[in-house]
Amino acid sequence: MIIGLTGKNCAGKTTIAEYLVRKGFVYLSLSDVIRDALTTDSKEFTRENMIDKGNALRAAHGPGYIASKTMEKFQPGKNYVIDSIRNPNEVAELKTLDSFILINVISDDKTRFERMKNRMRPGDPSTFEEFMRYEQLEAGSDNVNAQQMDETCRMAHESIRNNDIIEELYNDIDLLLRRLLKKIKSKRPSWDEYFMNIAKVVASRSNCMKRHVAAVIVKDGRIISTGYNGTPRKTRNCDEGGCPRCNSFAESGTKLEECLCSHGEENAIVQASYHGISIKESVIYTTFSPCLICTKMIINAGIAEVVFNSKYPMSELSIALLTEAGVKVREVRVD
């Protein structure tokens, strides 16, 4: 879940962000991108400098730049709360994320001014009239790169009112989170995608010079063996010159008698045998459809299903033989 906070000055965005951090959310602020730029320019973090630099960054790199730079910090599997969203293009950038929810934090003008006075930050307006003039400057602009708080707030999915009763504010946040959880579904890979992606990672261990292939054998939803192609154990790796055929880059289908590399499916089956693990009625996930030799091993090992990501050249006979032997064959493309 990625929750964005917008709202006028001192509406209570920081209070909500701090509460969400206590609930395990990671805090990020679009203003940090601006602060980093001011630090590079050796300028102070005054209100005017922040506004001017934010406008300059949007003008130089695009209206959604500050949001996109913040999004670069996201890591999978974490919930985030994003503060300081002040431009509609920043909202548009963040809305490209399926799990993004923008909340408009609302509080009346007099209350917000009192909060601003109490925080005693240098450069803040000292009178209510001055405070409202600043508000008007940030409310909207013909400049697409400037702050446009009114339009940004109108783009919110939800709103929360902060009336200075902290218990009520926290309760409203909790209620909102419960509602949002019902709407947001995490994107989990299917079992086929899960095991095939693991097979692709296993393939990265291959030492073959021609093609990296791997297989994982699954039984009852559990991986029981893995294998990738390469030269036999305790011999020189293919990528160290161990296989004459691969290192000569022989034409496909030729000089197979010179190839010293075992295939991924072959190694997965042999590894199971080496460790005394039964693979009868299992499923083998392989990054390429099996060759004829591996096909015969799959059939005789009692494997019930073959799931492959890409077709191996000259695989028609292998697939036909698997089908004849009653082995289920499926292609599952995972890019």
Side-chain angles (χ1 to χ4, degrees), residues 30-247:
L30 268 63
S31 294
D32 287 341
V33 177
I34 302 173
R35 292 188 184 94
D36 290 344
L38 287 174
T39 299
T40 301
D41 295 343
S42 300
K43 290 186 177 180
E44 296 181 8
F45 300 158
T46 64
R47 186 183 185 85
E48 291 79 6
N49 285 346
M50 292 287 289
I51 292 173
D52 290 345
K53 178 53 72 172
N55 294 349
L57 288 173
R58 298 184 192 100
H61 305 286
Y65 171 77
I66 297 174
S68 65
K69 288 296 289 182
T70 302
M71 290 162 62
E72 291 176 2
K73 301 176 182 178
F74 291 171
Q75 296 177 1
K78 293 183 179 181
N79 294 321
Y80 286 90
V81 54
I82 313 298
D83 197 4
S84 303
I85 302 170
R86 299 186 174 93
N87 184 285
N89 292 285
E90 294 166 351
V91 179
E93 191 74 26
L94 289 161
K95 279 187 174 181
T96 61
L97 304 167
D98 293 336
S99 55
F100 176 71
I101 300 291
L102 181 64
I103 299 174
N104 180 26
V105 186
I106 303 170
S107 191
D108 66 79
D109 296 341
K110 291 284 188 182
T111 300
R112 292 189 298 107
F113 175 61
E114 289 302 318
R115 291 175 188 155
M116 179 170 281
K117 285 199 305 183
N118 291 336
R119 75 183 185 182
M120 295 183 292
R121 184 178 295 175
D124 279 347
S126 57
T127 67
F128 183 70
E129 291 73 20
E130 187 182 2
F131 174 74
M132 294 308 295
R133 281 197 297 272
Y134 269 113
E135 292 277 296
Q136 192 59 39
L137 289 173
E138 296 180 3
S141 172
D142 293 333
N143 180 2
V144 69
N145 299 308
Q147 294 188 25
Q148 300 181 42
M149 288 305 308
D150 287 352
E151 180 60 26
T152 302
C153 292
R154 280 193 289 267
M155 296 176 73
H157 301 91
E158 304 278 350
S159 61
I160 286 182
R161 182 168 291 278
N162 178 16
N163 60 7
D164 268 352
I165 302 176
I166 197 68
E167 292 79 8
E168 289 185 4
L169 179 62
Y170 289 167
N171 184 62
D172 288 344
I173 297 168
D174 290 340
L175 291 172
L176 178 59
L177 287 176
R178 283 196 286 271
R179 280 199 295 111
L180 295 179
L181 282 172
K182 294 178 181 179
K183 295 180 181 179
I184 296 176
K185 297 292 183 182
S186 60
K187 287 187 174 180
R188 301 175 68 194
S190 67
W191 285 113
D192 281 343
E193 292 169 331
Y194 174 72
F195 291 124
M196 193 62 76
N197 277 317
I198 291 174
K200 292 176 74 173
V201 172
V202 175
S204 68
R205 281 284 303 163
S206 169
N207 63 63
C208 182
M209 290 295 293
K210 292 204 70 173
R211 182 184 282 113
H212 290 185
V213 182
V216 298
I217 300 177
V218 176
K219 193 170 185 179
D220 299 325
R222 181 171 61 90
I223 294 174
I224 57 176
S225 185
T226 66
Y228 51 85
N229 62 325
T231 47
R233 67 172 73 228
K234 297 183 180 179
T235 65
R236 194 156 41 124
N237 288 338
C238 180
D239 56 13
E240 297 171 338
C243 177
R245 177 182 182 270
C246 294
N247 281 267

